[in-house]
Amino acid sequence: MIKSINGRHLLGTKDLSAREIMLYLKSARSFKDILRRDIKKVPTLRGRTVVNLFFEPSTRTRTSFELAAKRLSTDVINFQAPSSSILKGESLLDTVLTVEALGADIIIIRHSSSGVPHMLSRHVRASVINAGDGTNEHPTQALLDAFTIQEKKGELAGLKVAIIGDILHSRVAKSNIYCLKKLGAEVRLIGPATLLPECMGQLGARTFSSMEEGIEDADVIMMLRLQLERQGKGFFPTTDEYFRQWGLSGKRLRAAKPDAIIMHPGPMNRGTEISSEVADGGNSVILEQVTNGLAVRMAVMFHLDERKEQ
Ligand code: CP
């Protein structure tokens, strides 16, 4: 068993080995135990500075990174792009070099352009964590999803995981495909042809145009948000029509295993990709995903900091 991860940054699950993923999950279990205590704060990263740089909206990822950093006793800066000197023409790189000059040890970035965290990682000494870049990757979401599946189902190897919806624009889907395949799961991708490009099959996932066929006997059903902000017109006729064809209702869920877990990275569009009956039902682990994000993000920051010391 390796004792540390290889890279200084977390840019995507594409770059991680199965053993590195398992190490993150194992450490997240330890941090989750700590989070159950009365005193949830540990001095692990005392003296370090974490900067949250979000150039796209976020509820779950930004707040859980902030809380995870605070639980590890770091100082946290939440950079506000709309009130920053970016509006005066400062470049993204100059902005990041500026926050690094203030002593940032870990920079967490979400940006609408794919590849921004990778570019920044080549210019800074701090560790860079990708909190979602365009349509490319969202690695901590995939790690918290794997953690949640492991908690509920044990081994991931051999599980049938159906990922449904707007695969084309989803960084969550891509990070999950890389991660789940490395852990031995069977990944199925389901969606309209307009949102499920054929090249996705090259990542080792089976593609389905029929919802019923795709979720048959599934152990895990992962619904995706329709990313309307990244779509032009013409991917599907209307959101009502989309729900009729690709939405998860209680009736449709019957094709999966009775104990299949229902996941969604959030934010959900109720009635568009998932019904409230399913989202709030007994098989849903959607809020547990949010809870687990905290422990997983603590584990990620812990290991990246440990790597910096070597
Ligand atoms: N899953 C996810 O990234 O949610 P937020 O956009 O709220 O961070």
Side-chain angles (χ1 to χ4, degrees), residues 64-258:
S64 69
F65 264 120
E66 179 179 352
L67 191 54
K70 287 177 172 168
R71 296 281 190 250
L72 292 167
S73 301
T74 74
D75 293 318
V76 188
I77 297 170
N78 288 310
F79 174 84
Q80 307 290 343
S83 57
S84 74
S85 288
I86 281 189
L87 290 195
K88 296 185 242 168
E90 190 162 44
S91 73
L92 175 64
L93 182 55
D94 283 335
T95 302
V96 170
L97 291 175
T98 300
V99 298
E100 187 176 47
L102 291 170
D105 298 288
I106 298 177
I107 295 171
I108 299 156
I109 180 146
R110 170 173 287 190
H111 201 279
S112 57
S113 296
S114 300
V116 161
H118 308 70
M119 180 277 285
L120 294 177
S121 72
R122 293 192 285 274
H123 293 276
V124 295
R125 288 181 309 280
S127 291
V128 175
I129 300 177
N130 180 0
D133 65 321
T135 59
N136 181 41
E137 281 225 44
H138 189 352
T140 57
Q141 180 69 45
L143 290 172
L144 76 86
D145 289 341
F147 182 88
T148 305
I149 296 171
Q150 195 184 50
E151 262 195 343
K152 296 291 170 189
K153 298 284 175 191
E155 280 292 302
L156 277 89
L159 290 180
K160 297 181 179 69
V161 183
I163 304 178
I164 302 166
D166 185 357
I167 313 280
L168 178 63
H169 300 101
S170 176
R171 52 201 180 201
V172 173
K174 277 149 210 144
S175 284
N176 263 297
I177 296 167
Y178 296 130
C179 180
L180 292 165
K181 289 294 299 173
K182 284 174 185 175
L183 299 181
E186 176 192 318
V187 182
R188 303 170 178 182
L189 304 177
I190 309 165
T194 48
L195 295 173
L196 177 50
E198 279 183 20
C199 60
M200 288 293 169
Q202 292 165 12
L203 301 177
R206 290 174 67 195
T207 57
F208 292 83
S209 54
S210 157
M211 182 92 168
E212 280 71 20
E213 281 176 29
I215 65 175
E216 190 180 351
D217 282 334
D219 300 285
V220 177
I221 298 182
M222 191 180 290
M223 301 307 294
L224 299 174
R225 182 174 69 84
L226 265 183
Q227 309 224 350
L228 298 173
E229 76 276 21
R230 298 188 213 282
Q231 295 180 8
K233 288 192 188 308
F235 285 95
F236 49 88
T238 63
T239 50
D240 283 353
E241 178 68 16
Y242 181 86
F243 183 74
R244 278 196 291 280
Q245 295 285 332
W246 309 107
L248 189 62
S249 60
K251 187 172 167 211
R252 229 174 217 148
L253 181 57
R254 286 188 216 128
K257 287 188 178 155

Side-chain angles (χ1 to χ4, degrees), residues 57-62 110 138 141 265-267:
S58 169
T59 297
R60 282 144 284 267
T61 313
R62 202 202 61 73
R110 170 173 287 190
H138 189 352
Q141 180 69 45

